Amino acid sequence: MSQTRKKLLLMGRSGSGKSSMRSIIFSNYSAFDTRRLGATIDVEHSHMKFLGNMTLNLWDCGGQDAFMDSYFTTQKDHIFKMVQVLIHVFDVESKSINKDIEIFVKSLTNLQKYSPGAKVFVLLHKMDLVQIDKREELISLMMDKLQKISNPFCFKLVGLPTSIWDESLYKAWSQIVCSLIPNMNLYNSNLLKFNQILDAEEIILFEKTTFLVISSTASIANSLRSSRKPLESSGAGAQSANDDSNAIDTTSLDPKRFEKISNIIKTYKQSVSKLRANFTSLVINGSNGTHFYIDKLTDNMLVMIVLKEKDDDSSSSVASHEDSLILENIKAARKWFEKIETSK
Amino acid sequence: MSSNSASNATILLMGLRRGGKSSICKVVFHNMQPLDTLYLESTSKPTTEQFSSLIDLSVMELPGQLNYFEPNYDSERLFSSVGALVYVIDSQDEYLNALTNLSMIIEYAYQVNPRIHIEVLIHKVDGLSEDYRMDAQREIMQRVGDELLDLGLEGVQVSFYLTSIFDHSIYEAFSRIVQKLVPELPSLENMLDNLVQHSSVDKVFLFDVNSKIYVATDSTPVDIQTYEVCAEFIDITIDLDDLYVEDEKQQSSNSVRSKKRELRSISNLSNGSILYLRQMIRGLVLVALIRNDEIVNDVSLESLITVIDYNVNNFKKSLVKMWQNARIDHPTNH
């Protein structure tokens, strides 16, 4: 049972945006609402059920120096024991970088002592305050430096730029959360099978309450292109856009589309809550021959299927996809995915 | 007839300086975020927004700090060519000056063009408390009425709206104003009423896609929340649709695909309601809210949608026909 409880530490200096992140991802705040948040006192615990049997215990650690000192001295075994993931947030606008790094080193030292198997994510936050053309440079500079510092602790850092004002926050968090899902491969292989049946442009799996991307497939819809490589799957966030054989398909689409979709659906969910309802399905027949189907897959997951109309030479096949057929297919797929969910 | 109606579809936006006129234009017609309008410069010359929807509408914004009664302004031609005059009053400021200015403008405009619609936006009410809003509206209406009585213009119809750019009230007000300028409005409303009656629809709007102004709705009262949800449903549909648009070069190599299809989206809600969206002609979309409590199984749901689809098709056909009869020579999207 202890396997399914995941402890996530959210750390960083005060004012770096830790509680804002948590509120947006897990409590449906809008980015604008986060200015109402006050300072976090000591540690704020939140428990989230994620994908049914997984519980995320998020420890949002207040970042003021007085609290920080106590984390590293009196409370250290309490805080750093049994940690699965450390999420360390750096404010890119911070004036006292040395102090930031000093605290990062302290937490790495404790983490190595109490839970050496933990994964470490570094979020370079408030990226919207940096000029667009300087962001790349800043990220590589910071990450090189942080990796060098953390080398003696044998942790592999994953660095992610984030901002609450765009989609990068969703991208970072779905990468963090996906690293905790044990049967990821099962999801992926089932998704591929599902896609073979539907021959969709893309299928994306979302977690139901947070709309974080769990998994997605992109298949090459056009049968002319299928001679190259029929299927392409990517774990959320892990971009395989560089893969040459798939370059035609993936480069033509927006690389940030997953995060944008998360954002759009979340907005929609908030919007329909004005009618005191939740949405169960959404079918869009787009103006470019694209069809979208968003439906409940299991109790904890939503699926989004994107289909392109095949415009072959035979004009008769232009007839649009049968909406009900697709929805039937989703129903049929439900039991397979429910099985994976309950399997552990 | 056609030239007359085209020239009437101009809205003149007036008011004292810093009343919020440019902000209104930017928010309604350019999808600017309300907070960003803080950084707008003062408008120095008249600017015109063209927007082509059911009618070809243009909104002319006049700088607030100018005096229009100087002889070098051709105000007579200006007022005689517009269909509606929208006067913006800042409700958070001292508005006595604005009221004197307003009655002066009304007097002049009414002389030049007695068919002009006069609309007053009591603006920036987001900063006022609920009780005070009604007081402000009552006081302004009272004072304007008195002023007009003094000028001997008691027959002039003046409409008042409480607006703010931070909620949907500004869209609501603009919808009402634009609706007065659509000559075919009664028959449109009649058609929508028919649609509502025969397809168990709860509420239906005919929206302009870009501005989220509704040019027509059925005769049941407008619930602001339903309006908001419907307007946001358009945004969500369009945003998702745009995500999977392919590159320019691929589109040109594959000319069949570049042909536009009709946008249509349906969403089921957990309380049994359905949101329904269909693209109409000339940048219009029809959004309907279907509330149903009795239908539970999929088959009856399916047949309900089929009936609605059929009825909406008929509605669209008659819309196209109506357009041809109006003899406005613009190519339709159809």
Side-chain angles (χ1 to χ4, degrees):
Chain A
M1 198 56 210
S2 63
Q3 269 301 312
T4 58
R5 294 180 74 85
K6 311 283 183 187
K7 180 170 165 185
L8 291 85
L9 278 188
L10 185 57
M11 295 201 110
R13 301 271 319 273
S14 73
S16 57
K18 302 175 292 299
S19 301
S20 303
M21 283 185 179
R22 187 189 51 143
S23 309
I24 289 175
I25 298 284
F26 298 104
S27 312
N28 280 334
Y29 275 52
S30 75
F32 191 68
D33 290 335
T34 58
R35 57 172 65 176
R36 295 203 313 253
L37 292 168
T40 307
I41 307 298
D42 205 23
V43 182
E44 254 176 45
H45 302 270
S46 34
H47 305 272
M48 272 88 52
K49 267 189 115 51
F50 198 82
L51 291 182
N53 52 8
M54 206 164 87
T55 312
L56 302 183
N57 287 350
L58 188 64
W59 294 41
D60 182 3
C61 306
Q64 275 152 46
D65 291 340
F67 302 136
M68 277 290 179
D69 287 343
S70 81
Y71 302 151
F72 299 130
T73 52
T74 51
Q75 289 184 299
K76 60 184 173 187
D77 51 340
H78 171 60
I79 297 261
F80 288 98
K81 235 172 205 164
M82 310 254 303
V83 173
Q84 248 86 23
V85 174
L86 170 71
I87 304 152
H88 202 101
V89 184
F90 283 94
D91 179 356
V92 290
E93 280 256 292
S94 170
K95 295 284 181 294
S96 47
I97 296 176
N98 288 333
K99 187 94 200 272
D100 293 348
I101 288 175
E102 186 190 315
I103 281 174
F104 182 53
V105 170
K106 270 187 192 165
S107 47
L108 284 182
T109 323
N110 283 303
L111 198 64
Q112 194 195 24
K113 193 169 160 200
Y114 291 100
S115 27
K119 301 188 180 79
V120 181
F121 290 89
V122 178
L123 303 186
L124 306 176
H125 197 46
K126 306 195 185 178
M127 226 8 133
D128 53 294
L129 298 172
V130 182
Q131 282 175 36
I132 294 172
D133 49 332
K134 294 198 175 136
R135 287 181 193 174
E136 281 298 322
E137 193 190 336
L138 183 85
I139 294 164
S140 60
L141 205 83
M142 291 269 289
M143 285 319 297
D144 281 349
K145 190 167 181 191
L146 291 174
Q147 186 63 58
K148 216 175 276 170
I149 291 162
S150 61
N151 269 342
F153 302 101
C154 312
F155 284 116
K156 186 158 180 351
L157 299 188
V158 182
L160 300 160
T162 55
S163 156
I164 58 170
W165 299 100
D166 61 26
E167 314 83 13
S168 59
L169 190 68
Y170 287 93
K171 184 174 180 174
W173 276 88
S174 66
Q175 202 168 335
I176 291 169
V177 169
C178 282
S179 73
L180 292 169
I181 299 175
N183 37 13
M184 207 57 206
N185 290 333
L186 264 175
Y187 281 121
N188 282 339
S189 60
N190 270 285
L191 205 60
L192 282 181
K193 271 185 212 150
F194 190 29
N195 194 25
Q196 275 166 0
I197 296 164
L198 288 174
D199 192 21
E201 176 90 356
E202 184 156 88
I203 305 181
I204 307 171
L205 284 184
F206 292 97
E207 202 277 326
K208 200 183 169 192
T209 47
T210 57
F211 292 104
L212 293 174
V213 177
I214 296 165
S215 176
S216 77
T217 27
S219 85
I220 302 167
N222 200 324
S223 54
L224 294 170
R225 298 186 206 139
S226 65
S227 54
R228 290 167 185 266
K229 190 182 170 187
L231 295 168
E232 188 262 321
S233 94
S234 56
Q239 292 293 330
S240 53
N242 303 335
D243 193 352
D244 279 322
S245 59
N246 282 320
I248 324 161
D249 200 38
T250 44
T251 50
S252 66
L253 294 170
D254 189 344
K256 282 185 181 166
R257 63 188 180 281
F258 298 132
E259 298 85 62
K260 283 186 181 163
I261 294 166
S262 297
N263 227 339
I264 292 169
I265 304 177
K266 216 165 186 175
T267 321
Y268 181 45
K269 190 185 163 193
Q270 266 166 20
S271 154
V272 296
S273 69
K274 286 174 197 157
L275 298 176
R276 272 166 245 94
N278 208 335
F279 79 98
T280 52
S281 76
L282 174 64
V283 178
I284 301 176
N285 298 333
S287 55
N288 300 294
T290 324
H291 298 246
F292 301 85
Y293 303 88
I294 300 174
D295 201 354
K296 193 180 106 174
L297 189 61
T298 67
D299 288 337
N300 310 297
M301 272 193 283
L302 283 176
V303 67
M304 171 159 149
I305 299 171
V306 183
L307 286 173
K308 274 256 158 82
E309 262 171 43
K310 320 272 187 297
D311 30 31
D312 299 339
D313 303 317
S314 53
S315 56
S316 60
S317 70
V318 180
S320 66
H321 299 276
E322 289 288 333
D323 290 349
S324 46
L325 190 70
I326 304 291
L327 293 175
E328 252 348 278
N329 268 323
I330 294 176
K331 260 185 209 157
R334 250 171 220 166
K335 70 172 181 217
W336 294 103
F337 284 93
E338 270 163 6
K339 222 183 229 172
I340 308 174
E341 247 185 29
T342 48
S343 66
K344 280 198 179 173
Chain B
M1 172 65 204
S2 72
S3 67
N4 189 18
S5 70
S7 64
N8 263 343
T10 304
I11 294 177
L12 204 57
L13 202 56
M14 296 180 83
L16 290 188
R17 51 186 289 276
R18 304 194 45 78
K21 301 176 292 299
S22 302
S23 304
I24 290 175
C25 274
K26 291 285 182 207
V27 169
V28 176
F29 300 107
H30 294 267
N31 288 323
M32 191 191 247
Q33 288 301 312
L35 273 179
D36 294 340
T37 59
L38 281 176
Y39 310 111
L40 286 178
E41 298 269 330
S42 169
T43 311
S44 57
K45 37 178 192 293
T47 48
T48 315
E49 307 282 345
Q50 292 288 345
F51 101 106
S52 175
S53 173
L54 197 63
I55 48 174
D56 289 310
L57 191 77
S58 64
V59 176
M60 194 188 283
E61 186 197 344
L62 298 180
Q65 57 272 48
L66 295 182
N67 180 6
Y68 298 98
F69 302 103
E70 282 172 12
N72 54 345
Y73 274 100
D74 192 0
S75 10
E76 188 176 332
R77 198 175 52 87
L78 193 71
F79 283 120
S80 61
S81 67
V82 300
L85 173 93
V86 179
Y87 193 87
V88 183
I89 294 178
D90 181 350
S91 67
Q92 294 188 21
D93 203 3
E94 201 48 59
Y95 45 70
L96 292 180
N97 261 338
L99 291 178
T100 344
N101 187 243
L102 170 65
S103 54
M104 222 155 72
I105 290 171
I106 292 179
E107 186 191 13
Y108 186 79
Y110 198 69
Q111 270 171 16
V112 176
N113 180 3
R115 285 170 54 206
I116 198 165
H117 294 278
I118 293 167
E119 324 278 350
V120 176
L121 303 186
I122 302 168
H123 195 51
K124 306 191 193 176
V125 291
D126 49 280
L128 305 182
S129 73
E130 206 65 51
D131 308 338
Y132 195 66
R133 282 179 201 179
M134 299 319 291
D135 287 350
Q137 183 177 15
R138 204 176 307 126
E139 194 190 335
I140 288 173
M141 285 171 82
Q142 179 76 45
R143 280 178 190 270
V144 171
D146 289 351
E147 294 256 17
L148 289 180
L149 207 63
D150 291 348
L151 293 165
L153 289 170
E154 58 265 53
V156 181
Q157 281 294 323
V158 184
S159 318
F160 294 88
Y161 307 88
L162 291 169
T163 58
S164 155
I165 54 171
F166 291 94
D167 57 28
H168 283 75
S169 58
I170 187 71
Y171 294 97
E172 170 85 25
F174 258 88
S175 301
R176 294 269 168 80
I177 293 167
V178 170
Q179 280 170 26
K180 286 186 185 171
L181 301 177
V182 179
E184 293 88 353
L185 187 73
S187 36
L188 265 180
E189 281 182 341
N190 208 353
M191 276 157 66
L192 288 172
D193 275 341
N194 264 331
L195 187 71
V196 165
Q197 272 164 29
H198 294 290
S199 26
S200 60
V201 168
D202 197 68
K203 184 76 194 157
V204 61
F205 292 100
L206 203 55
F207 272 102
D208 174 64
V209 170
N210 295 323
S211 57
K212 308 292 173 300
I213 287 176
Y214 62 92
V215 285
T217 179
D218 62 297
S219 51
T220 55
V222 177
D223 169 20
I224 193 79
Q225 267 168 356
T226 315
Y227 167 79
E228 284 174 29
V229 172
C230 289
E232 279 161 20
F233 191 54
I234 300 176
D235 275 334
I236 282 141
T237 304
I238 288 174
D239 285 352
L240 274 179
D241 190 35
D242 284 348
L243 269 184
Y244 283 83
V245 173
E246 283 170 41
D247 285 353
E248 288 294 312
K249 68 168 188 260
Q250 230 170 350
Q251 222 158 42
S252 58
S253 71
N254 206 340
S255 59
V256 192
R257 189 166 283 185
S258 60
K259 193 180 81 184
K260 286 279 177 191
R261 289 170 177 81
E262 185 191 73
L263 193 63
R264 171 178 180 270
S265 87
I266 297 170
S267 179
N268 292 313
L269 306 184
S270 61
N271 60 0
S273 304
I274 299 169
L275 280 168
Y276 179 96
L277 179 149
R278 271 282 284 280
Q279 192 172 1
M280 297 282 124
I281 54 167
R282 298 174 64 90
L284 293 175
V285 290
L286 180 134
V287 185
L289 176 72
I290 302 140
R291 279 209 181 97
N292 66 77
D293 306 318
E294 66 268 30
I295 295 168
V296 252
N297 59 334
D298 288 358
V299 180
S300 52
L301 202 70
E302 197 92 337
S303 59
L304 179 72
I305 295 288
T306 316
V307 168
I308 292 170
D309 264 337
Y310 179 78
N311 285 340
V312 169
N313 267 340
N314 281 343
F315 175 78
K316 188 172 175 177
K317 268 182 210 150
S318 29
L319 202 63
V320 171
K321 231 181 234 166
M322 201 159 129
W323 223 254
Q324 283 159 351
N325 290 343
R327 271 182 291 153
I328 294 174
D329 302 323
H330 283 286
T332 54
N333 297 345
H334 201 59

